[in-house]
């Protein structure tokens, strides 16, 4: 005959959240979400990729009767907003240099196309072909260096803004952690 014991902890009702995050921010979320009352859901530990390139699904749970729930939720939304801004700033590092490198490369391609048309003309215009090929190859060759120079300038410009956002994230997490204690 089996006996049923009534000992143990009381029942805790949880609310669940699945968050799809970039691979580069997984540690940030796993370290920061506990400051808002969330804990990693150990019942569902799968962290594999889920169809979004470079993103991972994290699963969290939180006590439904947690104190200061509305304020923690507000802080969590601020945290998510700051993370989105950091991601946008990270993308902006390479977007402008890429755009300029592509423009220079396309202009170089236009010169090469003109060079090809000049050499295939009847009679072939060799001098014009050479005159158009030189800026064309220069455009192709210089696109890489333009990208590298502009990327370095953009990184120097954006790095302080990203650091400020990280400082804001840490302040938000500290506020959330104080509300939990």
């Amino acid at each position: 005959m089996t006996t049923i014991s009534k000992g143990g902890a009381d029942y805790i009702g949880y609310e669940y959240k699945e968050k799809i995050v970039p691979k580069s921010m997984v540690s940030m979320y796993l370290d920061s979400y506990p400051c808002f009352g969330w804990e990693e859901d150990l019942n569902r530990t799968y962290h594999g990729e889920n169809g979004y390139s470079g993103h991972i699904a994290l699963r969290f749970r939180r006590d439904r009767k947690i104190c200061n729930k509305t304020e923690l939720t507000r802080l969590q939304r601020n945290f998510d907003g700051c993370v989105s801004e950091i991601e946008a700033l990270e993308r902006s590092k390479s977007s402008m240099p890429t755009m300029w490198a592509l423009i220079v490369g396309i202009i170089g391609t236009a010169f090469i196309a003109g060079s090809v048309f000049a050499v295939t003309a009847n009679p072939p215009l060799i001098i014009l072909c050479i005159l158009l090929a030189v800026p064309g190859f220069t455009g192709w060759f210089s696109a890489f260096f333009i990208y590298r120079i502009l990327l370095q300038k953009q990184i120097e410009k954006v790095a302080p803004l990203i650091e400020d956002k990280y400082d804001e994230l840490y302040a938000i997490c500290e506020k959330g952690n104080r509300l939990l204690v």
Side-chain angles (χ1 to χ4, degrees):
M1 176 172 211
T2 58
T3 60
I4 299 175
S5 65
K6 190 87 166 148
D10 293 334
Y11 172 76
I12 299 174
Y14 291 103
E15 60 181 321
Y16 298 91
K17 180 173 192 71
E18 180 175 286
K19 189 78 177 165
I20 297 172
V21 300
K23 282 183 180 180
S24 62
M25 299 299 255
V26 168
S27 294
M28 174 69 74
Y29 276 92
L30 288 174
D31 292 342
S32 300
Y33 260 47
C35 296
F36 310 117
W38 294 99
E39 62 184 38
E40 190 173 2
D41 186 2
L42 299 177
N43 297 326
R44 298 180 60 185
T45 57
Y46 175 71
H47 294 296
E49 292 196 32
N50 59 353
Y52 294 101
S53 178
H55 289 70
I56 292 179
L58 298 177
R59 291 165 182 91
F60 297 99
R61 70 180 185 177
R62 166 167 82 178
D63 186 353
R64 293 177 80 71
K65 296 179 182 176
I66 193 167
C67 295
N68 301 317
K69 185 176 180 179
T70 55
E71 182 64 17
L72 288 170
T73 303
R74 186 188 69 76
L75 289 171
Q76 176 187 332
R77 286 190 185 126
N78 287 346
F79 174 85
D80 290 338
C82 285
V83 170
S84 297
E85 290 175 22
I86 289 172
E87 291 172 8
L89 287 170
E90 289 288 344
R91 283 190 305 269
S92 76
K93 284 181 184 177
S94 63
S95 62
M96 195 264 301
T98 300
M99 180 190 66
W100 281 107
L102 286 172
I103 288 171
V104 169
I106 289 171
I107 291 171
T109 301
F111 276 103
I112 292 295
S115 174
V116 169
F117 288 135
V119 81
T120 58
N122 198 5
L125 305 170
I126 303 297
I127 301 293
L128 181 60
C129 172
I130 293 170
L131 290 175
L132 292 174
V134 170
F137 286 122
T138 304
W140 282 355
F141 182 72
S142 64
F144 172 74
F145 295 105
I146 288 171
Y147 174 81
R148 298 290 294 189
I149 291 168
L150 292 177
L151 179 66
Q152 187 60 38
K153 287 181 181 179
Q154 191 71 7
I155 288 172
E156 290 171 3
K157 179 179 161 185
V158 171
L161 300 173
I162 292 174
E163 282 303 313
D164 290 343
K165 281 296 168 189
Y166 274 114
D167 291 341
E168 188 176 337
L169 281 180
Y170 299 140
I172 290 170
C173 289
E174 285 175 359
K175 288 178 187 176
N177 199 30
R178 274 188 259 129
L179 288 174
L180 289 175
V181 175

